[in-house]
Amino acid sequence: MIRQLVNSSAVRSVGYDRRSRTLEVEFTSGEVYRYLGVERIVFGALLRSDSLGRFVNERIKPRYPSVHVGPA
């Protein structure tokens, strides 16, 4: 999955696959997680949020199952 760099102190890059509705997040620690079943509108809201780290913690982690992919 191709990720785009973002301006965040907690998140380094994000990517999204529309067909599988998978969000991939690379944190500044280097760890990468995939969140499953994420709607495209939620991905758009993530990109527009003032704080990507807070958005992931409050609106992604509690609601979507995740898979730890490993370090980038």
Side-chain angles (χ1 to χ4, degrees):
M1 179 179 308
I2 297 173
R3 294 189 305 266
Q4 62 188 62
L5 294 174
V6 293
N7 185 18
S8 169
S9 60
V11 177
R12 181 175 297 145
S13 65
V14 296
Y16 185 72
D17 182 81
R18 288 189 293 186
R19 278 180 41 241
S20 65
R21 295 182 359 169
T22 301
L23 169 68
E24 190 169 276
V25 178
E26 177 190 6
F27 293 93
T28 54
S29 66
E31 298 299 321
V32 178
Y33 286 84
R34 288 189 182 143
Y35 298 92
L36 311 176
V38 178
E39 299 83 0
R40 189 170 71 170
I41 193 166
V42 174
F43 177 62
L46 169 66
L47 293 179
R48 293 187 304 276
S49 70
D50 291 333
S51 171
L52 276 73
R54 183 175 4 181
F55 191 97
V56 169
N57 284 330
E58 293 177 0
R59 298 201 41 206
I60 303 294
K61 287 182 179 182
R63 296 186 173 127
Y64 300 98
S66 65
V67 175
H68 181 242
V69 179

